[in-house]
Amino acid sequence: DAKTTQPPSMDCAEGRAANLPCNHSTISGNEYVYWYRQIHSQGPQYIIHGLKNNETNEMASLIITEDRKSSTLILPHATLRDTAVYYCIVKGTSGTYKYIFGTGTRLKVLA
Amino acid sequence: GAVVSQHPSWVICKSGTSVKIECRSLDFQATTMFWYRQFPKQSLMLMATSNEGSKATYEQGVEKDKFLINHASLTLSTLTVTSAHPEDSSFYICSARQGLTEAFFGQGTRLTVV
């Protein structure tokens, strides 16, 4: 599975869009990009995933570049409850399908 | 999303005893379950992967005789920490997946060994 690189921390004003980048330059053709977040002392929460096309759900949008080497998770209107560590994971569809967590981005939403 | 439940949420045990943590998928059949460990201010570390009815596959450096994993049914996996010691104190998290869908995580179990 490809490795991901994320900034260690980011701040965002409440009500503004939070844009969290992820670099996955070694991603291969059959690997998906998954995003999870972990609020303090809880298990990770699934947010969204995609392969090539941009994806949107009730929680967030996922923008994947055309070369698929990077992606951005967008929280359109961040709230204080969005303060968490956000993990970008690249995972294939073959092998053991393991979810390997990197260090993630600690997002702090400021009032 | 699907619900994965862990029990207990926290447990304190004496050094040398064993403790069992349960992970249940409440509304789907989990063909694969994963167990993670997380130390304070660190990321999740994958310990093992288990498929229903098969022996678990442990990550390098994880002692299989110390961390016993059983995935006897499509809705239940257990992690038993045997002969626990203070250094085993950690936050243990399970996740479950049905087929190739996204994985869902339990709320975690905080183990303190005294």
Side-chain angles (χ1 to χ4, degrees):
Chain A
D1 294 327
K3 182 179 178 179
T4 62
T5 304
Q6 298 177 253
S9 64
M10 292 180 64
D11 289 342
C12 176
E14 187 179 20
R16 303 297 293 270
N19 297 285
L20 294 96
C22 179
N23 182 287
H24 32 79
S25 58
T26 60
I27 193 170
S28 60
N30 65 345
E31 290 182 319
Y32 286 74
V33 181
Y34 286 78
W35 283 84
Y36 286 81
R37 72 179 182 184
Q38 185 179 27
I39 296 170
H40 183 63
S41 295
Q42 296 181 25
Q45 177 188 22
Y46 166 78
I47 301 173
I48 199 167
H49 75 280
L51 181 63
K52 294 181 182 178
N53 300 322
N54 298 336
E55 302 287 345
T56 295
N57 63 20
E58 65 278 5
M59 289 183 68
S61 295
L62 173 60
I63 308 297
I64 302 174
T65 58
E66 192 169 341
D67 63 8
R68 304 211 319 124
K69 293 185 177 182
S70 65
S71 61
T72 301
L73 178 74
I74 301 173
L75 307 178
H77 305 286
T79 70
L80 298 179
R81 289 180 297 178
D82 292 322
T83 293
V85 179
Y86 287 76
Y87 296 98
C88 166
I89 299 169
V90 171
K91 190 181 72 64
T93 56
S94 61
T96 57
Y97 318 108
K98 297 187 288 188
Y99 288 77
I100 304 298
F101 284 76
T103 53
T105 295
R106 187 172 296 276
L107 174 69
K108 187 173 183 180
V109 180
L110 306 172
Chain B
V3 178
V4 176
S5 176
Q6 268 183 255
H7 178 80
S9 297
W10 59 270
V11 58
I12 301 173
C13 72
K14 291 185 176 181
S15 187
T17 63
S18 296
V19 61
K20 180 184 286 187
I21 301 169
E22 291 188 349
C23 177
R24 293 181 184 273
S25 57
L26 298 186
D27 50 3
F28 67 101
Q29 294 185 323
T31 50
T32 305
M33 285 187 170
F34 305 91
W35 285 95
Y36 294 82
R37 180 167 56 180
Q38 185 176 34
F39 293 107
K41 297 188 177 181
Q42 294 186 23
S43 186
L44 286 75
M45 185 194 79
L46 181 65
M47 300 175 66
T49 302
S50 73
N51 293 299
E52 185 265 338
S54 302
K55 288 186 178 180
T57 301
Y58 290 80
E59 295 297 303
Q60 191 172 11
V62 178
E63 301 175 59
K64 60 180 67 177
D65 293 332
K66 181 166 186 63
F67 300 99
L68 302 179
I69 292 171
N70 184 285
H71 189 172
S73 79
L74 285 171
T75 59
L76 174 65
S77 176
T78 59
L79 167 68
T80 301
V81 183
T82 62
S83 186
H85 292 286
E87 57 265 30
D88 298 323
S89 297
S90 188
F91 192 50
Y92 291 87
I93 307 168
C94 74
S95 76
R97 184 186 65 208
Q98 182 178 34
L100 299 180
T101 64
E102 60 271 22
F104 295 93
F105 288 77
Q107 73 272 32
T109 298
R110 185 160 303 283
L111 169 65
T112 302
V113 184
V114 298

